[in-house]
């Protein structure tokens, strides 16, 4: 079963480069790795300089990647719903339902929910196949919501399922028809969702294979936010696998400006090492060029087990 | 006298049973159904929950029941009046 890792952190700290380099490092050690991008800006495609898309593609030997596009996912979902009503109602009612669905598509929670659904699907379908599934997630706030959604959704589905079974059973008693419960469409839909959610929760929570990796820079704001987020994750019993301090200045710097920055950095690094004592802390260097495919190799070395 | 009265009560209860039972079942059904609707489709009454997206796939299958629920809600003058009349408070 896969080790499932979520890379999170403040916007701009370098999550994409770090998750990409980490995935690359694990793949070069012989592990089969799936890198999943949830970033709407297609930054993983940019990083590896090739188009990735919604299917799983092979980037390098052992290293696979896929992008989750929430708009496409929600469109697929809505199409399925629209298809399921075609035979059931009159044209007028179908029009009405379609209007409601169109309005729902624009609602604020849709994007995140569609993302979550695809995440669950990927986890359920591929966890036997890969040694590592690495999620390059969106900035911290979203990730935390995503990780607490399974529990909320499970409770909701359980309550609905029990209520629906009761109402259909009442109908059975009133009408005398005993076969209603198993054939009820809503019971079928809810049961399927419950099964998928339960499986995802087993993999994410019970298996102990889930881990969160915080990426940060040696700067006050990033550190503060990471401390807060650490506390939140601990409150929800989400295990923290490691911290990654990205963009560390090179050893040899000259000039007063850079010497000062190096001094500040050292101070923050010490703060990081004391705040997150006991956890693995990776240190990733700042490179002199933009991170593209050629630089991933260099960054990956910092993630290798010597 | 007491014995005959009991027999009379017995027959009243036995004959009335089916109607009362069905009535109670229908009430119970309505109540569970309404609680289901509120939980599943809370967005219709203006409460936005993170579960709204996931309820959408049930929406077409419950279209007529949702319509009925909405009509019922409009026709209710007061929730209290509704709930009190459902509680059979025999003196």
């Amino acid at each position: 079963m896969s080790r499932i890792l979520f890379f999170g952190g403040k916007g701009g700290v370098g999550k994409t480069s770090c998750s990409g380099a980490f995935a690359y490092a694990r793949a070069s050690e012989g592990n089969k790795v799936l890198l999943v991008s949830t970033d709407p800006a297609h930054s993983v495609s940019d990083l590896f300089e090739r188009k990735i898309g919604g299917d799983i593609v092979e980037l390098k030997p052992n290293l696979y990647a896929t992008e989750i596009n929430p708009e496409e996912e929600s469109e697929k979902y809505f199409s399925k719903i629209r298809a399921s009503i075609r035979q059931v109602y009159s044209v007028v009612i179908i029009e009405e339902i379609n209007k409601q669905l169109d309005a729902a598509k624009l609602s604020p929670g849709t994007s995140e929910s569609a993302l979550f659904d695809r995440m669950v699907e990927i986890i359920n379908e591929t966890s036997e196949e890969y040694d590592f599934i690495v999620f390059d997630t969106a900035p911290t706030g979203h990730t935390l919501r995503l990780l607490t959604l399974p529990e909320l959704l499970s409770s909701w589905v359980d309550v609905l399922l029990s209520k629906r079974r009761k109402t259909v059973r009442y109908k059975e008693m009133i009408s005398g028809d005993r076969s209603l419960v198993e054939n009820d469409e809503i019971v079928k839909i809810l049961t399927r969702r419950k099964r998928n959610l339960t499986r995802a929760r087993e993999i994410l929570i019970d298996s102990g294979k889930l881990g969160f990796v915080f990426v940060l820079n040696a700067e006050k704001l990033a550190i503060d936010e990471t401390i807060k987020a650490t506390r939140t994750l601990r409150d929800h019993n989400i295990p923290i696998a490691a911290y990654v301090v990205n963009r560390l200045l090179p050893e040899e710097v000259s000039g007063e400006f850079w010497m000062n920055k190096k001094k500040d950095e050292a101070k923050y690094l010490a703060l990081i090492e004391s705040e997150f004592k006991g956890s693995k802390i990776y240190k990733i260097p700042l490179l002199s060029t933009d991170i593209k495919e050629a630089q991933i190799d260099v960054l990956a070395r910092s993630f290798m087990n010597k | 006298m007491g014995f005959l009265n009991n027999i009379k009560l017995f027959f009243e209860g036995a004959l009335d049973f089916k109607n009362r039972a069905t009535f109670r079942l229908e009430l119970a059904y309505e109540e569970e159904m309404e609680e289901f609707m509120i939980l599943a489709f809370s967005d219709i009454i203006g409460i936005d929950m993170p579960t709204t997206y996931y309820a959408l796939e049930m929406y077409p299958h419950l279209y007529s029941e949702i319509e009925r629920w909405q009509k019922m809600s409009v026709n209710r003058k007061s929730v209290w009046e509704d709930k009190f009349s459902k509680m059979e408070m025999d003196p």
Side-chain angles (χ1 to χ4, degrees):
Chain A
M1 192 183 280
S2 316
R3 186 91 165 87
I4 300 175
L5 297 168
F6 283 84
F7 274 65
K10 194 159 146 36
V13 293
K15 283 186 298 298
T16 304
S17 322
C18 290
S19 58
F22 178 87
Y24 183 91
R26 297 285 86 84
S28 30
E29 286 165 353
N31 299 293
K32 194 170 180 201
V33 184
L34 174 63
L35 178 61
V36 183
S37 174
T38 60
D39 187 351
H42 302 295
S43 38
V44 172
S45 283
D46 286 343
L47 179 67
F48 285 93
E49 292 170 286
R50 57 171 287 186
K51 177 123 179 37
I52 295 179
D55 294 320
I56 297 178
V57 299
E58 183 175 344
L59 293 177
K60 293 188 185 295
N62 287 333
L63 180 58
Y64 298 81
T66 187
E67 279 174 351
I68 301 180
N69 182 330
E71 271 65 53
E72 275 174 28
E73 295 300 321
S74 61
E75 194 43 60
K76 270 192 250 170
Y77 180 61
F78 285 109
S79 299
K80 247 195 301 188
I81 299 176
R82 289 186 223 270
S84 77
I85 64 174
R86 230 159 264 151
Q87 287 89 37
V88 187
Y89 295 108
S90 71
V91 179
V92 176
I93 295 185
I94 290 181
E95 243 331 286
E96 182 57 42
I97 293 179
N98 276 323
K99 260 198 282 181
Q100 298 278 19
L101 291 180
D102 285 335
K105 227 192 329 177
L106 302 171
S107 144
T110 301
S111 209
E112 214 168 86
S113 304
L115 173 61
F116 175 77
D117 256 5
R118 177 66 182 142
M119 241 173 62
V120 167
E121 194 176 60
I122 290 175
I123 289 171
N124 284 345
E125 286 176 8
T126 68
S127 75
E128 297 300 317
E129 210 189 316
Y130 294 92
D131 298 305
F132 285 88
I133 302 178
V134 179
F135 284 91
D136 152 32
T137 53
T140 318
H142 290 279
T143 313
L144 294 175
R145 262 205 302 286
L146 238 37
L147 289 175
T148 52
L149 204 46
E151 211 178 301
L152 172 76
L153 216 48
S154 291
S155 313
W156 181 75
V157 171
D158 281 341
V159 174
L160 283 185
L161 197 47
S162 126
K163 286 203 180 293
R164 182 63 182 180
R165 285 206 172 104
K166 262 192 232 159
T167 57
V168 180
R169 225 173 279 136
Y170 285 137
K171 259 202 268 180
E172 275 183 356
M173 286 195 255
I174 295 171
S175 69
D177 181 356
R178 298 256 139 203
S179 72
L180 296 179
V181 177
E182 321 92 66
N183 293 324
D184 185 59
E185 273 311 311
I186 304 294
V187 169
K188 284 193 210 153
I189 289 172
L190 288 172
T191 306
R192 195 194 327 128
R193 247 201 210 281
K194 183 181 164 102
R195 203 177 342 132
N196 288 337
L197 274 176
T198 305
R199 171 138 179 76
R201 289 184 76 198
E202 267 164 17
I203 296 170
L204 280 174
I205 298 166
D206 303 335
S207 71
K209 298 282 187 170
L210 169 69
F212 201 93
V213 179
F214 276 111
V215 182
L216 65 158
N217 299 146
E219 282 164 9
K220 186 92 183 38
L221 280 181
I223 297 174
D224 283 346
E225 187 170 308
T226 307
I227 293 175
K228 252 192 294 200
T230 298
R231 211 175 292 141
T232 308
L233 287 197
R234 292 241 161 89
D235 289 344
H236 284 96
N237 288 320
I238 294 170
I240 295 169
Y243 293 88
V244 177
V245 190
N246 193 28
R247 300 206 184 109
L248 288 170
L249 294 168
E251 280 308 317
E252 326 77 40
V253 289
S254 57
E256 202 180 318
F257 179 84
W258 291 109
M259 306 279 298
N260 274 334
K261 286 215 76 106
K262 189 82 185 154
K263 233 193 309 193
D264 277 351
E265 187 186 89
K267 188 178 65 181
Y268 287 127
L269 209 44
L271 178 60
I272 289 171
E273 276 166 343
S274 83
E275 277 293 337
F276 307 122
K277 192 164 42 186
S279 300
K280 178 126 187 66
I281 299 176
Y282 290 104
K283 300 191 178 125
I284 315 298
L286 174 67
L287 300 188
S288 59
T289 56
D290 281 344
I291 311 294
K292 288 290 180 185
E293 230 223 316
Q295 286 72 36
I296 296 172
D297 194 349
V298 178
L299 291 183
R301 285 182 217 149
S302 303
F303 284 112
M304 305 271 219
N305 301 312
K306 312 286 194 296
Chain B
M1 194 56 206
F3 175 69
L4 276 178
N5 199 35
N6 287 339
I7 299 233
K8 185 169 134 216
L9 285 174
F10 170 77
F11 276 107
E12 268 177 30
L15 293 173
D16 196 25
F17 180 70
K18 180 157 193 310
N19 289 334
R20 282 171 79 92
T22 307
F23 180 60
R24 279 185 206 270
L25 280 179
E26 275 164 3
L27 275 185
Y29 168 83
E30 290 293 345
E31 224 170 278
E32 285 292 340
M33 177 54 101
E34 177 161 45
E35 284 170 19
F36 178 94
M37 288 299 183
I38 292 173
L39 263 182
F41 303 110
S42 54
D43 59 305
I44 292 181
I45 51 179
I47 303 171
D48 197 22
M49 292 218 295
T51 53
T52 302
Y53 180 82
Y54 310 104
L56 288 173
E57 61 181 343
M58 295 189 286
Y59 180 70
H61 298 282
L62 288 172
Y63 185 79
S64 38
E65 308 199 41
I66 292 176
E67 257 199 329
R68 200 165 66 88
W69 177 50
Q70 281 179 310
K71 284 204 189 101
M72 252 173 54
S73 308
V74 167
N75 289 333
R76 273 164 143 174
K77 297 197 200 89
S78 128
V79 178
W80 284 114
E81 189 189 306
D82 213 17
K83 293 292 177 191
F84 272 127
S85 71
K86 284 188 181 131
M87 297 182 226
E88 297 169 358
M89 297 191 279
D90 286 326

